[in-house]
Every structure is written in structure tokens, then in C-alpha cells.
Amino acid sequence: QVSVALKEGRVTPTELCQRCLALIKSTKFLNAYITVAEETALKQAEESEGRYKRGQPLGILDGIPVAVKDNFNTAGIETTCASNMLKGYISPYNATVVQKLLDQGAVLLGKTNLDEFAMGSGSTDGVFGPVRNPWSYTKQYKEKSVPKFHSEDQESNWVITGGSSGGSAAAVSSFTCFAALGSDTGGSTRNPAAHCGVVGLKPTYGLISRHGLIPLVNSMDVPGILTRCVDDAAVLLGALAGHDPKDSTTIQDDFKPFELPDLTDVSKLSIGIPKEYHAPGLSSEILALWSKAADLFKNAGAKVVEVSLPHTRYSIVCYHVLCTAEVASNMARFDGLEYGHRSDVKDSTESMYAATRREGFNDVVRGRILSGNYFLLKQNYEKYFVKAQKVRRLIANDFVKVFRSGVDILLTPTTLSDAAPYTEFIQEDNRTRSAQDDILTQAANMAGLPAITVPTALSERGLPVGLQFIGRSFQEKQLLTVAKWFEKQVQFPVIQLEEVKRHDSAVFQHQKSASFS
Amino acid sequence: LAPWIPVVGLEIHAQISSNSKLFSGSQVQFAAPPNSLVSFFDASLPGTLPVLNRRCVEAAVMTGLALNCSINKRSLFDRKHYFYADLPAGYQITQQRVPIAVNGSLSYSLCIDNKMSQMVTKTVRIKQIQLEQDSGKSLHDDTRSQTLVDLNRAGVGLMEVVMEPDMCCGEEAAAAVRELQLILQTLGSSQAIMAEGQLRVDANVSVHHPGEPYGVRTEVKNINSIRFLAKAIDYEIQRQIEELENGGTILNETRAFDSKLGCTIPMRDKEGKQDYRFMPEPNLPPLILYDSKSLPANMNHQQVINIDWIHERLPDLPSVKREKLVEQYEILPEHSFTLLNEDGLAEFFESVVKQTQMKPKKVIGWILNDLLSYLKQHSLTVKESPVSSFLLADLLNLLEKKEISSTAAKQVLAELWKGEGKTPLEIVKEQKLELLQDQKELEQICQAVIDGQENE
């Protein structure tokens, strides 16, 4: 809609940019942004305006304000991965996906907050502090939350965004941008998207280039897309997908961007409900919602069947072995020699390395490095790493079998419950939380499959809950088409932010229902 | 005393001759200003990914074929982890599990008892050839207690050639490496100049008694020339024998060759064995090569490598070249070795042969005895020879036509080395070296000599 507005001149890119920047300022307490690139954003907006005036916009994304997770390289703009190791690091190059956005005229507002090096499921473990879920400040949450806190204590009642792409999710959810890039390795885009009430798409592995995405697990990472509606996600996908010679793991086939049809007849669809996703700890609320969604499809004429993915319960353990092993390897480059933080300890190269890494990495990162190195030791390699790879193949085969049996799309919950209050979340350590929270999203990364979370309803506490669709490899069109149909059916309510004081309410009204397609 | 059997194996790293590095587009060049040939990937900037260089793969396939290896149609890349200042990523990308070529052989020749006339052919098995990254260079500045790091070399493509322990002494190892060097240079897959670090050899040495299992081996590094290779190996064999005969033991360690002292010394920083924590390289899919049978019909040939296509275009290897020289020119096999051993000598020889009526069998003597020894004496390469093939051919023609004697020819040659631009004929005339052909004149001279003798 806003894209049309730009085209028709009802609003200019500069105005749009300025409003977003103002909104970022007034929602600073969310801590969604690490860096706001005000100057360059305004400049990009100006250039976009020029193009619109000449009647030559670059496309739908021209002039659209976007945000990018701070583990993507952005030339000239600090890239920190929310770590001391890269504080002040200014990359000399743009990640391919960032370049693509810029080439289409998008306006890059800034870099969003995350768990350090994308390790975590809360966006609470970065050096710039935790990200707050915008829904903590909504009318809907206030009304439903247990009224045992005084207004002073309300400060401590805020809920997390989920993670690790929490900043991006919060940014999209609070209207400070129209789309954001996240990354997804075990659910890091879908988890916060579900908690923040936005759409979170994990594309098929190999569809979108990882060049410039600072890696967590090279064999599972994908750039993730966060938007306010499914159509917008399709637009972003079209702008970003396709072979990149700089990334040897992208597929060679041509990618054709698509527009999503308005599906009316779902009778030819077969929806699978994997029984193993009724995981321990799944809230009764979400279970009920999941059931309701299944019925929705059934009543509309689709075939809804229970299916089994028997190796699901091994996926978390398997993931931890493979993830930590790759982390140990990927983090080996951070030694303070070529870039990033370097310790003052100078006695020898080794002591400099050791001190740099102790100072630069938080406990979570260091913990994973130690575990990973353990699993990669010669005497452990077969027992852990190779075994985990074999289990990974079994998990992937589970999906293959189910899809071969005639199922088109799988429907599952995205998270075990709605967003937890921060004070409650930090009672358990990062590793425990990750192990719990990744369980519903993680297998799709193991198998490289596309998955999308769609905001479905508000929980009893007034917080968003999303449901997840998992599709066949490279069948994003079908996946998004079904997701779009579902989105239309559930009519998820718009966020009603309360505590945004110094703010132009007229603008707010305008942006309330804003999508850009 | 029971005899000792020395066992020598070699690990050879050959820098691939290519315009750009193995996984990135930065240039490959010797002695460029420090850190001027470093791409983002070479510097291990976070988020960068490796992209395989086609030319490097072709070089490895050519080398594998020339060494009679089986080329693996599917090979894999791995990460080998260790921390060092010259390894920016903290790991090297190599091929540990499935290398590109395996199970080959290399034939080389030796002179028995230092007599050029008796040559024997030996074979060493090639275990494998793998593609891997070179590291950067680190220089230790002890006066300022700092380490200087130059990453120009980081990421340059290497072929590691592993030779099985089929050799028994320094001479054999040197001959094998020399032959490998010639092969690489003929193929163009590596320039293999040891002095420029394009060919680096590590030797694995052990000794044992016949009938007993192999002894503990040591690894000898830091060998900068083929001559030093033979020396280092022979020294190490001797050291091990002496150590064992004195009741000592051999440690499984790495030793550096000190060329000044002519001995091997233990290297300091190997505390305990390194665990390299090998892991598959997740950013590089398996390397798939095709042959004419397996090549899919509609494949863009720019995108793939066809082993058979490369095989058909291999140049004549040194062994083949030597055979042809022997056959064509009726020279001895040991002559052909010397011809190929010296850069440009074979071409010089053939050029002279073309320009003279003298039989090649005779020309070869002039080439190997006179020309080559002169060049060696003055440390000149064939290219730098003040006597061109044209001049030498000219001279040999005079000899062939019996216009001068062979003694005179040697005198002329000595004059030609001065490089003053005179032709052989001019020198002959100057020094009055012409052979007299006139029978009558000769009789007069002889008669004069006899008369002279009678008068005394």
C-alpha cells in the first residue's frame, strides 16, 4: 500500500524516512536498533525521491525504509553482531542481500539488535542489552496482564522479543520500518516473528545468498525475512533470491519472482499435522490454537492428516553438536590480528589471541566454542560429529517421506508459549532456553526446508502467537500462497502501541495498517 | 653389526601457477609489496566465502594424470584448524578425506656409483595429490619483540604431493624431486622454483633393521634446494643410525635443516601432537569432475571440467621427451637426462643440430662437455650464453668440413666465449688456424722440418 502511495506521490520517500527515524527515536526504549544510519538513510531517501519525481522508480522497494540485523555486513556502517569483538568494526563491503536491497532503492535505516553472534532465543544476550517486545507496551497486553504491579513496576514487566533476530522483529512490529532482514539457523527469524506478531520467513537453504552474513552454522544459516504481511514477504523474497557466484552454496537455477495468487479453493491441498510437534511444554493455549487452525483448513475443504516425523526428538541434541562444532570453527578467525577487538596483552601471539578472545566473546559464545572443539577432537569426531550428521540425514528423510506421501504443507506451532517476561526468561541460562525454544523451528533448518510463521491470534495475556507452515524445498510460492490464505482467515489484530508519547498520532494512524505491496 | 635400512618419504607442496588464488580473486605474484595482494576473503573478514578457482583444479588434474594417478571424480574440502599468525581464518582449507588424485607413480633415474654411463630407473608411489591453501608469511622481529605478518601468500593454491616411503637415501629423494619439478614445469601447473618458495619439500626419515618393523620417523623441514634435500636426508639417516647404535631412541619430532651447519635440529614449538579438529568445509559443495562418458549432454562446458579433454591435451612429459631425443638423435640416455636437466639446453642442442651437417652424436659432445662446463664455470644459464647456437653451429661446420682441426676448434671456442662479436671464420683467419689441405705445401713443410732435424 505504501509503495502505491509513494508512486502516487501521496507521501514522499523523505517524509517516510523522517517519520520512521522519528519513530525509532521515540521507541528507543525498545532497544531494537544498535546503529541508526540517519545521514545515509536520508540521502538514500532523497535519491529515491528524485527517481519518483522523474517517474523512474526502481521497483516496489524504491524508497521503502528497511532495517537489517547487525550480523549482515554493511559497508560504511558499523557491524557488531552485538559483540565486543566487533564493536566499532566498519566493514568494507555489503552483504549480497544488503546490496540487492540498496540496488532496488530501499532505504537502510539501521542495524538491529540481536543475541551476541546470533546465539540465543531471546535477544537478551548481546552487549548492547536486551530487546523489548513492543507488545509489552500495548493496550492489549496492559489490559490482560495480571494487575499486581504498580505503575513503577511496569518497567520490569516487559516481555522479550524472542531471538536471535529480536531487534528486526521489534522494528517491524513497532512500525519503525516496513521490512527487516534477520537470520535463521535454528528458528532465529521465526521465533521472534511469532512473539512480536509479524510474518517471519525462512527460505530454503541455497535460495538466498549468505555472502556477507556473518555465519553461525554455515550449513544451516539462511537470511530471514520479517514483514507485516505475507505479500510483503513475497516481494522481499523476489528481490533477494537467486544464484550468487560469491556463495557456492546457492543453487544455479534461475529464480523467478512471483506474485501471490489469492487462493480461494483449498480443497486440493493436503495439510500434514506432525504429531511429534505436540512437544512437552507446549502451552494448552497454543495447542488449542493449532487445533483450531487445522479445523479451519478442514472446514474449508482441505485434506488434513496426522503425520509422523519420528526423529524430531533427536533434533535438538543433533543440532547442538553440529552447531557448536561449526561455531568453534567459524569463530577461530576472531583473533584480533586483522580486524576487531585486540587485547593489550602483548607477551606473545598466543597470549594476545587468548586475551582478545576472552575479552571479546561473552560466555555463551565461549561455551559453544569449547563444546564444539570437544566434539571435533580426533577421538570424538566419529562419536559425535559424524553421528550427528547421520541423524541429520534421518531427520531430513522424515520430511521427504511425508511430502512424498502426498502432503503439501505441514502445519505446526512456532513457539511453545507466548513471550515470557524478561525477568522470568533470564532465570534459565542461554543454553537451556535455546534447547527449549528451538524445538519447533530447528528441524526445518536441519532439512534446509522453507518455513514461515504467520501471526494467528492473541494469547490470554494479550500477546501474539504465531503458527508455522513448513513446505517442500524451493516451493516457496506454494508455501506463501497457503500462508496468505491463512493470514486472511485469521485477521490478526493490529498492534496498539500506547507508550509512544512524543509522536504524531496522525502518522501513526496512517501506518497502522501499512504494508508496502 | 646388522645393516640398517633407511626409509624416506616426501611431502611436497607445489604452488600452483595461476593468475589468482585458490578461493579468491586476488592476484598471485612473487615479491609484491607486503599485504598488497589480499582480498577480503584472504584476510578472513567475517561473512566472506570461498569460491573455487577453476584453473587450480585443472592444474591438479593435469599433475595427477602426469603422475599416473586415478583422478577422483568426486573430492571434498575440509577445514584443518590451528592458531597461527599467518593463518587468518584459524583454519586452512585442504582435502583431508577425499583428495583430488590418488595412487599414482613417478619414475626417476639415478647414476650408479656416480658414473654417468650407468643409469638405473626407479619408481616411487604417489599416495595422493590434494588441493589446499598456502598460508601467509610471518616474520619475527626479535629486536622489537613483534611479529610482522604479510598475507600476500595467504590463500595461494597449493598441490600437496605425497610420495610413499619408497626411497632410501638423499640421492634418490633428490632425483625424484628433480623429476617432479621437470614434470610440473613441463605441464605449466607450477613453476616449481624452490628458491622462490614455489616448491617446498618435507622429508620423513626413519631407519630399521631388515625383517623388523619400520622405525620411528622424524620430519625434516626448512629445506631450500634439491642439493640441501639430499644433504639433510643423509645427515638425518646418519644421525638416527648413530643414535640407535649408541642405545638411544628416536623421537617422533619435527626437525629443521640448518644449511650452514649441515645438520638437523629439533624445532621448538611442537609441544605434544596437534589435534587439527578436521571438519568438512560447509561452504564448498563436493568437487565433481567429469570424463567423456559421464559428461551430461546439455552441460555448459565452461562450467565443468572434463578429465579426458585435459588428458588429450597434455604435453610430452620429460620421460617421453628424453626417449624422443635418444631415438631421433642417436644419443645416449644419460645425455638426454642432462639435456633436459638444464633449462633451455635441449632446445639449444636441437637448434645447433638443425644448423650444422655434423652428426648429432658428435654435436652432443660439444654441447655437454664444452658449452655446459663453460656455463657452469661462469654460473650462466643457457639463455645467458655468449655463444649462440648459430655461432656454435658455424664453428662445428668448419670442423666438419675439415677446414680446422678439433684442437683448433677448441681454441676458436675459447675466443668466442669472450663474446666480442667475431665469427668463427674471422677468428680462424686471425689466428691462422686453418688446416692446410694442399698436399704439396705439406710435403714442403715436412721436408723443411726433417732437413732442420738433420742439421742438428
Side-chain angles (χ1 to χ4, degrees):
Chain A
Q1 290 170 336
V2 83
S3 187
V4 171
L6 282 172
K7 232 169 154 188
E8 292 175 4
R10 282 184 279 132
V11 66
T12 68
T14 343
E15 282 172 343
L16 205 53
C17 181
Q18 281 162 342
R19 287 177 193 171
C20 287
L21 288 170
L23 195 50
I24 292 174
K25 286 200 181 93
S26 55
T27 54
K28 210 160 173 204
F29 56 90
L30 294 176
N31 203 18
Y33 287 80
I34 294 177
T35 306
V36 180
E38 188 161 335
E39 259 182 57
T40 54
L42 285 170
K43 193 155 166 278
Q44 287 160 8
E46 243 180 76
E47 288 167 10
S48 170
E49 196 157 315
R51 289 190 291 268
Y52 274 104
K53 284 209 176 99
R54 294 193 299 274
Q56 295 170 334
L58 294 167
I60 300 186
L61 289 176
D62 202 339
I64 302 290
V66 298
V68 162
K69 187 175 179 183
D70 208 15
N71 59 355
F72 286 90
N73 277 274
T74 45
I77 301 173
E78 202 175 331
T79 301
T80 68
C81 296
S83 174
N84 276 322
M85 191 59 91
L86 289 178
K87 243 187 189 162
Y89 173 68
I90 307 227
S91 168
Y93 74 99
N94 278 325
T96 298
V97 288
V98 171
Q99 192 61 53
K100 285 190 170 183
L101 288 178
L102 294 175
D103 287 344
Q104 308 240 350
V107 172
L108 180 54
L109 294 173
K111 310 295 289 300
T112 57
N113 205 349
L114 58 154
D115 284 304
E116 181 161 341
F117 279 109
M119 299 187 205
S121 58
S123 302
T124 53
D125 279 320
V127 292
F128 298 106
V131 184
R132 299 184 184 201
N133 194 327
W135 284 83
S136 317
Y137 303 97
T138 57
K139 217 162 127 204
Q140 292 112 322
Y141 180 56
K142 294 280 159 57
E143 283 170 359
K144 299 292 183 74
S145 68
V146 181
K148 56 182 176 182
F149 298 103
H150 305 152
S151 42
E152 304 96 61
D153 289 342
Q154 251 172 14
E155 258 304 293
S156 56
N157 204 24
W158 57 270
V159 297
I160 57 164
T161 51
S164 61
S165 313
S168 286
V172 174
S173 168
S174 61
F175 296 104
T176 60
C177 65
F178 287 82
L181 291 186
S183 66
D184 196 312
T185 309
S188 290
T189 289
R190 290 163 285 156
N191 175 298
H195 283 317
C196 294
V198 298
V199 171
L201 170 61
K202 174 210 168 297
T204 312
Y205 182 86
L207 186 59
I208 300 188
S209 171
R210 290 182 298 111
H211 168 78
L213 166 59
I214 298 176
L216 177 59
V217 183
N218 284 290
S219 62
M220 296 187 211
D221 288 350
V222 290
I225 294 169
L226 298 111
T227 55
R228 287 197 276 278
C229 69
V230 178
D231 274 327
D232 289 353
V235 170
L236 258 289
L237 185 66
L240 300 178
H243 175 66
D244 183 4
K246 296 191 185 124
D247 178 352
S248 307
T249 59
T250 53
I251 49 158
Q252 306 269 353
D253 307 346
D254 286 324
F255 175 82
K256 294 190 189 68
F258 48 77
E259 251 184 60
L260 294 177
D262 272 310
L263 192 61
T264 44
D265 173 24
V266 295
S267 58
K268 298 200 186 70
L269 218 51
S270 170
I271 308 286
I273 310 286
K275 63 182 187 195
E276 290 83 2
Y277 279 63
H278 185 161
L282 187 65
S283 77
S284 48
E285 248 190 328
I286 297 195
L287 182 60
L289 214 55
W290 184 20
S291 199
K292 226 168 132 189
D295 289 337
L296 193 66
F297 278 100
K298 210 182 295 182
N299 296 335
K303 185 165 162 220
V304 179
V305 286
E306 190 189 73
V307 295
S308 175
L309 300 168
H311 296 92
T312 304
R313 62 197 166 115
Y314 303 117
S315 73
I316 286 296
V317 167
C318 177
Y319 175 71
H320 271 214
V321 172
L322 298 177
C323 173
T324 53
E326 282 217 35
V327 163
S329 179
N330 290 332
M331 297 295 142
R333 65 187 56 212
F334 295 104
D335 52 26
L337 197 59
E338 295 87 12
Y339 49 81
H341 171 69
R342 186 199 280 213
S343 167
D344 287 329
V345 175
K346 282 195 216 165
D347 310 324
S348 67
T349 313
E350 294 221 321
S351 59
M352 189 273 274
Y353 277 22
T356 297
R357 289 162 72 81
R358 192 190 347 110
E359 293 163 16
F361 291 139
N362 72 3
D363 286 350
V364 179
V365 177
R366 281 165 38 224
R368 293 200 193 188
I369 293 173
L370 287 169
S371 306
N373 278 325
Y374 176 79
F375 295 134
L376 289 177
L377 288 175
K378 207 165 169 187
Q379 74 249 36
N380 293 332
Y381 184 72
E382 288 283 324
K383 271 197 293 190
Y384 292 100
F385 189 87
V386 176
K387 272 266 156 64
Q389 290 282 38
K390 291 181 178 174
V391 173
R392 180 178 178 177
R393 165 125 3 247
L394 291 177
I395 292 171
N397 283 345
D398 277 357
F399 285 100
V400 170
K401 284 194 198 123
V402 162
F403 284 129
R404 222 176 256 164
S405 73
V407 168
D408 299 306
I409 304 272
L410 297 170
L411 168 63
T412 79
T414 313
T415 57
L416 294 174
S417 66
D418 57 6
Y422 176 71
T423 46
E424 200 183 291
F425 184 79
I426 54 173
Q427 300 286 335
E428 299 274 11
D429 64 60
N430 183 296
R431 193 172 76 81
T432 312
R433 286 298 182 204
S434 300
Q436 293 164 346
D437 300 332
D438 286 347
I439 194 150
L440 299 168
T441 48
Q442 203 287 303
N445 296 89
M446 294 280 244
L449 296 173
I452 186 169
T453 179
V454 179
T456 308
L458 293 182
S459 68
E460 267 183 30
R461 289 160 64 214
L463 294 172
V465 169
L467 288 177
Q468 171 177 239
F469 296 92
I470 305 175
R472 289 195 182 97
S473 263
F474 300 108
Q475 301 302 316
E476 271 80 353
K477 187 166 180 195
Q478 182 183 51
L479 179 68
L480 290 169
T481 304
V482 173
K484 182 174 169 179
W485 180 88
F486 182 72
E487 177 187 59
K488 203 156 161 215
Q489 307 304 311
V490 297
Q491 301 272 313
F492 182 78
V494 178
I495 187 174
Q496 289 167 27
L497 285 167
E498 276 208 330
E499 261 175 44
V500 184
K501 299 254 158 70
R502 274 183 307 119
H503 185 60
D504 182 354
S505 60
V507 173
F508 187 66
Q509 286 293 93
H510 175 91
Q511 291 193 319
K512 224 168 34 150
S513 58
S515 67
F516 54 77
S517 51
Chain B
L1 279 170
W4 289 101
I5 302 181
V7 175
V8 179
L10 298 175
E11 273 166 34
I12 299 162
H13 289 91
Q15 252 187 24
I16 298 175
S17 173
S18 60
N19 288 328
S20 53
K21 298 183 180 179
L22 183 55
F23 294 117
S24 73
S26 38
Q27 242 201 314
V28 178
Q29 204 187 83
F30 183 66
N35 292 312
S36 59
L37 304 171
V38 184
S39 68
F40 298 151
F41 174 76
D42 303 329
S44 79
L45 293 195
T48 53
L49 299 169
V51 181
L52 185 55
N53 178 335
R54 187 209 171 98
R55 158 70 189 160
C56 292
V57 180
E58 288 173 349
V61 172
M62 277 197 288
T63 307
L65 292 171
L67 295 177
N68 306 305
C69 295
S70 310
I71 306 294
N72 280 327
K73 295 223 194 72
R74 182 173 181 272
S75 61
L76 305 171
F77 290 99
D78 304 290
R79 293 184 181 180
K80 176 179 180 181
H81 300 86
Y82 61 94
F83 285 103
Y84 205 70
D86 63 15
L87 197 65
Y91 59 83
Q92 174 201 37
I93 301 180
T94 176
Q95 292 188 300
Q96 188 242 5
R97 290 169 292 155
V98 185
I100 191 166
V102 290
N103 296 335
S105 64
L106 170 67
S107 295
Y108 60 96
S109 294
L110 292 180
C111 318
I112 302 185
D113 300 331
N114 277 322
K115 289 186 209 150
M116 268 309 269
S117 52
Q118 280 193 293
M119 299 204 88
V120 67
T121 305
K122 298 214 161 200
T123 310
V124 58
R125 289 169 298 157
I126 305 290
K127 178 163 186 235
Q128 64 188 52
I129 300 176
Q130 63 201 53
L131 281 167
E132 57 185 36
Q133 291 174 304
D134 208 344
S135 63
K137 279 205 189 119
S138 59
L139 306 150
H140 300 288
D141 179 358
D142 287 320
T143 44
R144 273 175 235 136
S145 303
Q146 57 184 10
T147 302
L148 305 164
V149 182
D150 175 14
L151 295 179
N152 281 351
R153 203 183 66 180
V156 171
L158 292 177
M159 294 177 286
E160 179 175 329
V161 180
V162 182
M163 290 187 183
E164 299 277 25
D166 297 340
M167 295 161 282
C168 71
C169 58
E171 196 190 356
E172 287 191 0
V177 171
R178 180 69 187 122
E179 187 67 7
L180 176 66
Q181 203 177 31
L182 287 174
I183 292 175
L184 292 171
Q185 288 166 350
T186 304
L187 292 173
S189 57
S190 171
Q191 292 179 301
I193 302 173
M194 273 182 97
E196 288 184 11
Q198 291 166 347
L199 191 70
R200 310 197 279 265
V201 183
D202 300 332
N204 292 313
V205 180
S206 73
V207 297
H208 65 277
H209 288 306
E212 283 180 17
Y214 280 17
V216 175
R217 64 167 181 185
T218 60
E219 191 186 6
V220 182
K221 288 173 112 76
N222 195 38
I223 301 165
N224 299 328
S225 73
I226 294 189
R227 207 165 56 91
F228 286 151
L229 176 66
K231 265 191 156 177
I233 290 172
D234 289 336
Y235 173 86
E236 181 60 19
I237 290 172
Q238 217 30 60
R239 182 193 77 87
Q240 289 194 10
I241 289 175
E242 275 169 25
E243 184 70 35
L244 290 170
E245 285 185 344
N246 287 334
T249 51
I250 305 299
L251 295 170
N252 176 213
E253 59 177 352
T254 304
R255 299 174 72 90
F257 178 66
D258 186 321
S259 50
K260 290 202 188 93
L261 300 174
C263 65
T264 63
I265 45 179
M267 284 176 85
R268 38 185 176 80
D269 56 22
K270 296 278 172 169
E271 295 167 35
K273 292 277 240 21
Q274 277 261 33
D275 192 326
Y276 291 113
R277 291 164 279 126
F278 285 100
M279 187 184 91
E281 169 56 68
N283 292 316
L284 291 170
L287 174 59
I288 309 288
L289 304 173
Y290 298 92
D291 56 29
S292 308
K293 261 191 264 174
S294 64
L295 191 63
N298 55 347
M299 198 66 103
N300 178 3
H301 91 99
Q302 295 272 34
Q303 291 284 343
V304 299
I305 289 186
N306 183 340
I307 300 169
D308 290 336
W309 195 86
I310 293 179
H311 207 152
E312 284 161 25
R313 283 159 186 77
L314 287 179
D316 278 346
L317 294 182
S319 52
V320 172
K321 279 195 198 166
R322 287 188 207 110
E323 272 172 29
K324 284 189 176 172
L325 286 172
V326 168
E327 217 187 284
Q328 196 178 349
Y329 301 112
E330 293 180 353
I331 57 177
L332 295 176
E334 46 265 36
H335 293 162
S336 69
F337 268 90
T338 316
L339 279 180
L340 284 192
N341 247 2
E342 208 58 43
D343 197 22
L345 191 60
E347 289 79 14
F348 192 97
F349 167 70
E350 289 188 283
S351 174
V352 171
V353 164
K354 273 203 196 86
Q355 300 173 75
T356 178
Q357 298 92 35
M358 183 183 278
K359 283 223 171 92
K361 271 202 285 203
K362 284 178 79 177
V363 174
I364 192 80
W366 288 92
I367 299 284
L368 296 183
N369 298 332
D370 299 88
L371 179 78
L372 192 57
S373 56
Y374 179 82
L375 290 175
K376 290 289 179 206
Q377 256 175 43
H378 294 84
S379 299
L380 294 171
T381 64
V382 172
K383 286 194 186 78
E384 295 165 339
S385 170
V387 178
S388 66
S389 60
F390 174 75
L391 283 180
L392 184 58
D394 212 15
L395 174 61
L396 295 181
N397 281 339
L398 291 178
L399 183 56
E400 193 67 4
K401 283 189 273 186
K402 296 212 174 34
E403 284 183 36
I404 55 175
S405 69
S406 70
T407 329
K410 289 210 202 276
Q411 256 180 271
V412 175
L413 191 51
E415 192 65 29
L416 282 174
W417 288 131
K418 292 186 189 156
E420 284 166 4
K422 297 187 205 152
T423 69
L425 196 55
E426 284 167 3
I427 298 172
V428 164
K429 290 225 160 75
E430 261 179 36
Q431 301 195 9
K432 297 203 176 34
L433 297 169
E434 307 91 320
L435 276 179
L436 293 172
Q437 306 278 23
D438 189 336
Q439 180 87 358
K440 257 208 174 144
E441 223 184 314
L442 282 169
E443 275 179 13
Q444 278 179 355
I445 295 172
C446 289
Q447 189 62 50
V449 171
I450 294 171
D451 291 343
Q453 289 282 43
E454 275 180 358
N455 286 338
E456 281 171 16

